[in-house]
Amino acid sequence: MIRKFLRKVFSRNSPASESIATLSVIPNKRHGIRRNQINPCALKIATSLQQAGFSAYIVGGAVRDLLLGLTPKDFDVATNATPEEIHKLFRRSRIIGRRFRLVHVMCGAETVEVSTFRGPSPDHEEDSAVTPLTDAHGRLLHDNVFGSQEEDAVRRDFTVNALFYDPVKEEILDYLNGFDDIKTKKLRIIGDPVQRYREDPVRMLRAVRLASKLGMQIDAQTAQPIGDLAPLLQNVPPSRLFDEMLKLLLSGHSLSCVVELRARGLHHGLLPMLDVILEQPLGERFITIALKNTDERIKQNKPVSPGFLFAILLWHEVLSNWSALQASGEKPMPALFKAMDQVLSLQHGKLAIPRRFDAVIQEIWAMQPRFEARSGQKPFRLLSHPRFRAAYDFMQLRCESGELSAELGEWWKAFLSADSEEREKMLPKQTAGKKPRRRRSRKKPSSGSAVQPEKSNNPESL
Ligand code: ATP
Ligand code: MG
């Protein structure tokens, strides 16, 4: 029954692919990609598949990036061999995925993704009546149907992502004019933009991310429906939105992506009230500085923690909830913790920030008031916190954005570079004499905003 269904789909010619695809073969002297630029594992896998009688190509982002002079993140292989045939050929491989069955081929410490050419989803009335193929908004729910190479090109998102590089013949097969679009730096969706965004609204986010990352212009027809279709993102499973948002933020072009998301009305529902935040002068300045800083770190190959990034993006939400709670009579620290909880629980629903990031985000936020307490042993205790560095960087961004005084940031910079004797001198003289009284007063906390209950932040007491 399934075989019959697949055969039927396999043999069906897709009207879409017939009308928009024409094959051009681009020889090595025109494209200039050298075989030694291809990841050796991917090269070996594609060659072995060809030697076994299959067709096999390097596809997608890797070909695009090489043509643009960028370093590809990963090298994917596409072939007409089925997952079982691929698995049989490579001892160290496993078939993964339910919706898209792919093969992971292990090669040394690396893993290369090998996928069978996929075709258009069946659109027969009788089939879709049994298992719906799209949701009520046209979003594709099933698209794991094998197809021809041409069909595989047409089901991809953008023309520049649909190039096939044959590492044996060293030529590129181009069905959709992607090669010219690379040369003219045009990001063009394949097929009818409205239908393609309806099938998968994440393509709208990919358009923004790829245009920023590749320095390309989104073609006018590709861009045109985005504003109207933006609400479709609400139907995308939150975990997928989270993955895409993370890719966007870690792309090294997060600032231009966020600016572009906002310009195209795509930010709603991704991070609640990103629009509101960006409209408050301090919030906008804070996020702009922080994202610029993140992009810089990524360009220098320095690590960026997703927890830190989300702490940044949500901070002004926390601040406004925090002051509202204090205005309604709550004490500063309980109000901060309540505000943190409110903001994070809203996020869990919308963007599905996995709970594993909560601890980092909360620690960074909860340490902030402690930077304002510059007396006695407090700065020393703060320094020894395992998450000090992230919280310190965060505090410096707050100073840079004007939320805190520049003097505070300078003081901490000096404190960090000072030796222990100098550090003692930097702390107010009278604090030494006041020590005993401070201990007593901790039992009954004052309402000063800079006072952080030590217990809640001491990792050993958690
Ligand atoms: P990156 O540089 O982020 O890896 P990429 O284009 O390689 O960019 P991947 O997510 O690795 O992105 O996807 C690999 C390929 O799969 C793409 O080049 C594209 O051909 C195809 N693809 C990915 N996402 C979609 C989608 N939502 N719809 C259609 N095709 C897609
Ligand atoms: Mg990729």
Side-chain angles (χ1 to χ4, degrees), residues 293 297 302-303 305 307-308 311-312 360 363-365 367-368 370-371 379-398 400 409 412-418 423:
N293 189 279
R297 285 184 71 91
K302 289 187 186 164
S305 109
F308 185 78
I312 285 170
V360 181
E363 277 180 324
I364 292 173
W365 287 342
M367 270 193 270
Q368 292 310 306
R370 295 175 64 183
F371 284 97
F380 291 103
R381 276 200 291 270
L382 194 51
L383 267 182
S384 65
H385 193 289
R387 203 79 69 188
F388 171 80
R389 193 68 215 188
Y392 168 82
D393 288 345
F394 193 95
M395 178 274 298
Q396 288 293 356
L397 291 172
R398 293 174 65 211
E400 231 180 293
W412 271 99
K413 237 179 242 167
F415 190 71
L416 280 197
S417 54
R423 281 178 180 171

Side-chain angles (χ1 to χ4, degrees), residues 272-273 277 313-322 339 343 346:
M273 297 184 230
I277 296 165
L313 290 169
L314 300 170
W315 175 240
H316 277 256
E317 278 280 286
V318 175
L319 278 185
S320 74
N321 287 18
W322 188 17
V343 170
L346 188 68

